[in-house]
Amino acid sequence: MTALLEVHNLSRDFGGVRAVNQVHFEVKSGEILALIGPNGAGKSTVLNMVSGVIPPSEGEIRFAGQAMASVAGHQYAEMGITRTFQNLQTFDDMTVLENVMVGMHAKTKSSLFLCGMQLTRAREEERLMREQAHRWLANVGLESLATWTAGSLPYGKLRLMEIARAMVAEPRLLLLDEPAAGLNHTETAEMSSMLQSIRTNGTAILLVEHDMDMIMNIADRIVVLDQGAKIAEGTPREIQENPAVIAAYLGTGEE
Ligand code: ADP
Ligand code: MG
């Protein structure tokens, strides 16, 4: 079986600086692949390329067998790839429900054509969108806050709201850039079980994260980047025992 996501010899230059260097990995259907490494290793840049935010300088990304080079950014959600960002991207004056519904617009066909024959269909779509958004708010435990403005929510809840927004489009691949950043221990545990249930329901996850407890708990496989290059790949146990990874990133625990 071919992988859901294939990344071949992916590189990205900024000016003269190579931020990502000949990286290759695959994400299979229904797995959580973690991408880890020190600050500046190139993790967010990889996610930005895989989500179509920036083009690669070299290399190829294939999703469900299709080369992504010719796919426009706004088509990604419809194709089955959605993401969250390292820094929250929320609309503070909009309600939590509206923030989540933003994630669906890429998927709806008639939202741009609110006229004539299509009005009925647009209304029906709007209703289905609301239902779907409420369902995801319930899944992440935010249903009771649906009418609050996003600006009034604590940080940990906003991180969950972003997951709901990325999931309403029913992606096959969810890309997450440090979803547990800024979360306390309890919130991180909540986030972990949320991601596990998303995986159980069939969505693959490419996860960039610094919280090693979380990674070791939920990742099926781990790819390690250092200075733009892949230095290791393996199961959580293999990565924990890998000397190159310990030297570059994990440390010995004896400071
Ligand atoms: P990570 O997410 O692993 O911390 P990044 O992918 O954000 O790392 O950054 C990798 C390298 O690329 C860093 O040296 C960073 O400064 C550089 N970089 C990232 N984005 C840009 C950009 N838009 N312009 C210039 N340099 C960038
Ligand atoms: Mg980053």
Side-chain angles (χ1 to χ4, degrees), residues 39-40 42-45 86 177-178 208 210:
N39 278 328
K43 306 179 297 294
S44 291
T45 304
Q86 187 168 346
D177 200 348
E178 303 199 21
V208 169
H210 278 298

Side-chain angles (χ1 to χ4, degrees), residues 7-70:
V7 170
H8 299 290
N9 294 322
L10 191 66
S11 298
R12 172 72 201 200
D13 303 318
F14 291 112
V17 180
R18 180 145 284 207
V20 173
N21 189 15
Q22 302 265 305
V23 168
H24 55 96
F25 63 86
E26 295 183 342
V27 181
K28 300 186 189 83
S29 291
E31 81 168 338
I32 298 180
L33 180 78
L35 191 58
I36 68 170
N39 278 328
K43 306 179 297 294
S44 291
T45 304
V46 168
L47 238 55
N48 286 340
M49 289 189 279
V50 172
S51 59
V53 173
I54 58 172
S57 300
E58 284 171 17
E60 190 186 36
I61 297 165
R62 299 181 76 84
F63 177 71
Q66 183 178 344
M68 296 302 282
S70 58

Side-chain angles (χ1 to χ4, degrees), residues 26-122:
E26 295 183 342
V27 181
K28 300 186 189 83
S29 291
E31 81 168 338
I32 298 180
L33 180 78
L35 191 58
I36 68 170
N39 278 328
K43 306 179 297 294
S44 291
T45 304
V46 168
L47 238 55
N48 286 340
M49 289 189 279
V50 172
S51 59
V53 173
I54 58 172
S57 300
E58 284 171 17
E60 190 186 36
I61 297 165
R62 299 181 76 84
F63 177 71
Q66 183 178 344
M68 296 302 282
S70 58
V71 176
H74 68 271
Q75 295 175 300
Y76 275 60
E78 192 170 353
M79 285 190 69
I81 301 178
T82 62
R83 68 168 295 170
T84 65
F85 291 85
Q86 187 168 346
N87 302 309
L88 287 170
Q89 311 265 316
T90 57
F91 301 98
D92 286 352
D93 298 333
M94 286 163 53
T95 66
V96 171
L97 180 71
E98 286 163 351
N99 266 273
V100 170
M101 287 175 70
V102 166
M104 302 200 73
H105 282 284
K107 273 221 127 174
T108 58
K109 297 250 177 342
S110 57
S111 51
L112 290 175
F113 308 102
L114 290 169
C115 59
M117 298 276 289
Q118 286 177 312
L119 188 58
T120 313
R121 193 171 141 221

